[in-house]
Amino acid sequence: MIRRRPRRHIFFLAIAAWMVLWAPASAQDVRGASPPLAPGAIRPVVAKHGMVVAQEKLAAAIGAEVLARGGNAIDAAVATGFAMAVTYPRAGNIGGGGFMVIHLADGNRDIAIDYRETAPAATRRDIFLGTDGKPDPAKSRDSALGIGVPGTVAGLALALDKYGSGKFTLADLLKPAIALARDGLKIGDDTADTLPQWHRRIARWPSSMTIFSHPDGSALREGDLLIQTDLAATLTAIADHGPRGFYEGPVASKLVKGIRAAGGIMTLDDLRSYRPLDREPVRGSYRGYDIVSMPPSSSGGTVLIESLNILEGFPMRDLHQGSVDSLHLLIEAMKRAYADRARYLGDPAFVQAPIATLLAKNYAAKQRASIDMMRATPAAAVPLPPPHEGDNTTHFSVADAFGNAVSNTYTLNFSYGVGLVADGTGVLLNNELDDFTAAPGAANAYGLVGFAANLPGPGKRPLSSMTPTIVLKDGKPVLVTGSPGGSRIISTVLQVIVNVIDYDMTIADAVDAPRLHHQWLPDRVRAERGFSEQIIAGLRARGHTVVMPMGQTSANSIAITPDGFFGAADPRTRGSSAAGY
């Protein structure tokens, strides 16, 4: 499955993290950065004892340092998650939510933690409709009505409390994030690329402008110092009081005051009553490997496994990676699985979805039988099943020497969420409720169509595409993967897995290979640049409508082999990093 590379230990990023973040403040200027990698030039990082791969290098190094100090993968994931709230403001967050899949070597257990945002109790079914009764996208995407109750703080704290090594307290793991927020960090990499582009969104809110702008109102740019004093105070409250420091007390009051002043409907009781959920992962198998992924309220795991089940009946290896035949089958599998997503999936507290049917091998066989090898199936003709998330998400993968692994994806939805920082908190807030379906048959910002199963409702979790996934062989993790990218998350994870299992690609090559995407509606294939003209022409000749570009994804992944941990940081995002020891 993995072409071997020479063994070598990677110490430098973890050591840099210690010097920058765990040492006294005088060492704060010690920050090294390797140049961004171009697509086609991924250099895998190899480590013997543990690995963190994330979209931001300081956060990855912080997680790797936790591993080097004897922590397990969950400890490292929690430290990384809180650090990215400081270092990767467009998607790293404590003002949003997400999902974590864990493999624990002790007892060979798999766990899924759902810390997705919930709708405030005052949310109505028609909240995102205009006076004409039609969906009003501005309400869910650009106003405070789109803010869901954040779940990240509670979710990360739950993971540490139940599955951490016991060697670190929450306060221990928050120290690096607090230091970076308080003392500042120089803007670079992805933040330097995106903050000027999205600054207009932030500039609508004076409380956000004071953090991310110069005194003249222009956006902070590469090399400027980003200081987040209020965020440091919020993180300190969490360190001192645990999740209560966020969901109750002064921070909660400031959050509610800021949201309501902006036109939102969240209350103190909404924050106080938020709970993350331990769920049973969805499970599948693919050519002798076990696939462990996220169940609803994420659609990711269900759509991923259904797609793999369809592909399993085809000789993918014989069709060759990147060929017209191979890509045609990937598209047709995606199309059918995404159609089921739209028809059936939603928050399981409100919707009884036929998950067992959708994941069944015999159901996949029926779906497979409807595929014409030479012609694209029109979206409208996708067979009816039997009766019964963000460009700007971020993903990180963690694996440790004890056999544990964590795949974590969390989000604010749009880049920088709704753009609002609740005054006095430093917390950038999400616009995650746009992931609801405003009306049956309506599409969200990523073009995903939904029906009654995903309509808004009080306390309801909007359906997500986030797909944190761990692949096991003989009960041990061999691949940890996931991605940001809204509706493209699932198709990205699917292609990484197929590249590794069917085509024996190294993790670096599997991540680097160009990707494409189909989500049933709209009926078109989105493709990255990198496919040859002949391949695109071949797909069009079979009836596929192919358009470019696909949109950003970033499959930060780890392959675990007898030779060590191979980390592939996806260069589609500048500043992504693999850090190990």
Side-chain angles (χ1 to χ4, degrees):
M1 184 180 75
I2 304 291
R3 291 203 296 272
R4 307 301 183 207
R5 307 269 179 161
R7 295 188 186 187
R8 60 186 187 273
H9 297 291
I10 304 300
F11 292 98
F12 60 91
L13 280 172
I15 293 171
W18 181 86
M19 293 176 68
V20 174
L21 302 166
W22 300 84
S26 60
Q28 289 296 315
D29 60 342
V30 183
R31 292 189 183 90
S34 56
L37 300 177
I42 294 181
R43 297 192 299 268
V45 171
V46 189
K48 188 64 178 176
H49 303 292
M51 178 72 70
V52 180
V53 186
Q55 279 181 259
E56 196 286 315
K57 60 180 178 291
L58 286 175
I62 287 166
E65 171 62 13
V66 171
L67 295 177
R69 296 175 68 198
N72 68 7
I74 297 85
D75 301 331
V78 171
T80 301
F82 277 114
M84 290 189 76
V86 180
T87 65
Y88 197 72
R90 78 159 168 138
N93 73 80
I94 59 170
F99 304 97
M100 180 182 288
V101 174
I102 300 170
H103 176 78
L104 287 179
D106 184 13
N108 196 25
R109 291 185 290 159
D110 300 308
I111 298 108
I113 298 177
D114 181 337
Y115 61 95
R116 179 70 156 158
E117 304 89 337
T118 56
T123 302
R124 306 181 313 275
R125 182 184 176 109
D126 62 353
I127 190 171
F128 300 129
L129 302 183
T131 55
D132 58 359
K134 296 179 181 179
D136 181 355
K139 286 188 173 184
S140 59
R141 300 172 195 176
D142 303 323
S143 84
L145 291 174
I147 300 172
V149 181
T152 296
V153 172
L156 295 182
L158 173 68
L160 179 66
D161 182 57
K162 294 187 70 173
Y163 308 112
S165 67
K167 295 179 179 179
F168 297 89
T169 65
L170 184 60
D172 293 332
L173 299 178
L174 277 161
K175 285 178 182 177
I178 293 169
L180 280 170
R182 180 191 64 230
D183 300 330
L185 67 153
K186 287 186 177 180
I187 287 181
D189 294 327
D190 182 79
T191 302
D193 294 339
T194 60
L195 184 54
Q197 297 172 8
W198 288 84
H199 188 252
R200 183 180 299 178
R201 188 168 188 80
I202 290 169
R204 299 177 302 147
W205 316 101
S207 54
S208 306
M209 280 283 286
T210 59
I211 300 170
F212 296 102
S213 306
H214 291 116
D216 66 1
S218 62
L220 296 180
R221 294 186 178 272
E222 188 143 13
D224 288 335
L225 190 66
L226 173 61
I227 296 176
Q228 302 173 80
T229 305
D230 288 339
L231 181 56
T234 295
L235 293 170
T236 299
I238 298 167
D240 291 344
H241 304 290
R244 288 190 302 107
F246 183 84
Y247 293 96
E248 301 177 29
V251 171
S253 296
K254 292 174 184 176
L255 287 169
V256 169
K257 181 179 178 180
I259 292 168
R260 295 185 75 86
I265 58 176
M266 196 177 301
T267 66
L268 285 171
D269 191 59
D270 288 324
L271 281 169
R272 189 182 304 112
S273 60
Y274 181 84
R275 297 291 183 273
L277 299 173
D278 260 327
R279 297 194 188 275
E280 184 66 24
V282 290
R283 303 171 187 275
S285 62
Y286 187 68
R287 307 196 197 281
Y289 292 84
D290 296 316
I291 312 297
V292 180
S293 194
M294 198 68 209
S297 58
S298 175
S299 65
T302 303
V303 176
L304 171 68
I305 293 170
E306 182 178 342
S307 300
L308 288 169
N309 285 345
I310 294 170
L311 293 173
E312 194 171 36
F314 294 104
M316 297 298 289
R317 183 186 297 270
D318 297 340
L319 301 179
H320 305 293
Q321 197 277 337
S323 67
V324 173
D325 285 343
S326 170
L327 296 174
H328 173 74
L329 291 175
L330 281 166
I331 293 165
E332 292 297 304
M334 293 174 196
K335 194 180 298 183
R336 286 155 174 78
Y338 273 92
D340 286 348
R341 177 198 194 277
R343 292 185 176 106
Y344 289 124
L345 299 184
D347 184 340
F350 296 82
V351 175
Q352 188 68 37
I355 300 295
T357 297
L358 299 179
L359 299 182
K361 298 287 188 182
N362 59 356
Y363 176 57
K366 295 176 182 177
Q367 294 278 52
R368 191 183 309 122
S370 69
I371 295 175
D372 183 334
M373 195 65 198
M374 300 309 297
R375 295 297 304 170
T377 305
V382 170
L384 287 173
H388 13 269
E389 171 12 72
D391 273 328
N392 307 303
T393 302
T394 187
H395 175 83
F396 55 87
S397 299
V398 187
D400 65 29
F402 311 112
N404 306 306
V406 172
S407 181
N408 188 90
T409 314
Y410 64 172
T411 187
L412 294 172
N413 197 28
F414 283 17
S415 269
Y416 304 93
V418 77
L420 172 65
V421 173
D423 196 20
T425 69
V427 177
L428 264 168
L429 291 158
N430 67 85
N431 61 341
E432 204 59 60
L433 301 190
D434 182 63
D435 276 355
F436 282 123
T437 298
N444 70 3
Y446 300 101
L448 283 169
V449 172
F451 295 95
N454 193 38
L455 288 171
K460 196 172 181 181
R461 298 172 191 240
L463 189 64
S464 171
S465 295
M466 288 182 270
T467 316
T469 299
I470 299 173
V471 179
L472 308 171
K473 183 69 172 177
D474 300 324
K476 297 181 179 180
V478 295
L479 175 63
V480 187
T481 190
S483 179
S487 58
R488 300 176 296 276
I489 293 172
I490 307 168
S491 57
T492 293
V493 174
L494 171 67
Q495 287 165 91
V496 170
I497 291 173
V498 168
N499 286 345
V500 170
I501 293 178
D502 282 317
Y503 301 119
D504 292 327
M505 295 174 75
T506 67
I507 191 60
D509 291 341
V511 168
D512 187 54
R515 301 194 272 261
L516 47 68
H517 170 75
H518 199 298
Q519 60 186 47
W520 180 51
L521 291 175
D523 192 0
R524 62 190 183 196
V525 179
R526 306 286 306 200
E528 288 186 325
R529 305 190 190 283
F531 292 103
S532 70
E533 292 181 5
Q534 292 85 353
I535 292 295
I536 298 299
L539 291 173
R540 287 174 173 155
R542 296 194 188 188
H544 296 290
T545 300
V546 183
V547 295
M548 296 180 181
M550 189 180 95
Q552 191 179 66
T553 55
S554 188
N556 298 299
S557 306
I558 301 171
I560 305 162
T561 81
D563 292 335
F565 301 85
F566 290 69
D570 196 327
R572 290 167 176 83
T573 299
R574 187 160 74 102
S576 59
S577 178
Y581 84 104

